Amino acid sequence: MKKTVYDKVKWHYPEGKGCPDLETATIHFKAVLDWLNQHDLLTPLGKEIYNLGVDSETSITSNMLTEQGNRIMKRCYDEMTKGLKYGQTPSLDCFNSQLNG
């Protein structure tokens, strides 16, 4: 199965538009990875990456997530990033709504 790359920090900073710095670029990554970890949706690889912490090289990919984690990301990640405001923790309402789905 082909690996899906949902997002990379470098796509936001320095490559993105409107993101002022690395710290700001990592806010939504930390929120999403914290949520995935709390709900046991990370594979052993995902847990290893999560434990390293978010930095300029961090990506969120399908091989980091369980089957349910991937299903939730496919349904919610694009929606979450459309409403993304740099410097603010994103709403994870869509993610929460998919937990039992």
Side-chain angles (χ1 to χ4, degrees):
M1 189 168 127
K2 188 172 179 275
K3 179 171 80 171
T4 299
V5 178
Y6 293 106
D7 208 350
K8 295 181 179 186
V9 170
K10 69 180 180 180
W11 289 350
H12 298 271
Y13 184 85
E15 296 173 11
K17 294 188 181 352
C19 186
D21 54 41
L22 179 60
E23 185 177 335
T24 302
T26 64
I27 291 171
H28 73 280
F29 281 84
K30 290 175 183 170
V32 169
L33 288 170
D34 283 346
W35 186 91
L36 291 164
N37 186 57
Q38 287 167 5
H39 296 287
D40 202 26
L41 299 172
L42 296 174
T43 63
L45 173 65
K47 288 177 185 175
E48 184 179 327
I49 292 168
Y50 174 76
N51 289 328
L52 290 172
V54 177
D55 63 20
S56 62
E57 298 301 311
T58 301
S59 298
I60 300 175
T61 62
S62 56
N63 61 346
M64 294 171 56
L65 309 175
T66 64
E67 188 177 324
Q68 183 183 17
N70 275 296
R71 197 167 41 252
I72 291 170
M73 288 292 283
K74 285 178 182 153
R75 290 180 182 158
C76 297
Y77 199 76
D78 285 347
E79 179 184 319
M80 189 264 315
T81 55
K82 282 178 189 163
L84 190 64
K85 291 182 175 59
Y86 287 122
Q88 295 179 13
T89 302
S91 168
L92 299 177
D93 291 343
C94 180
F95 289 74
N96 288 320
S97 73
Q98 295 295 317
L99 266 180
N100 299 319

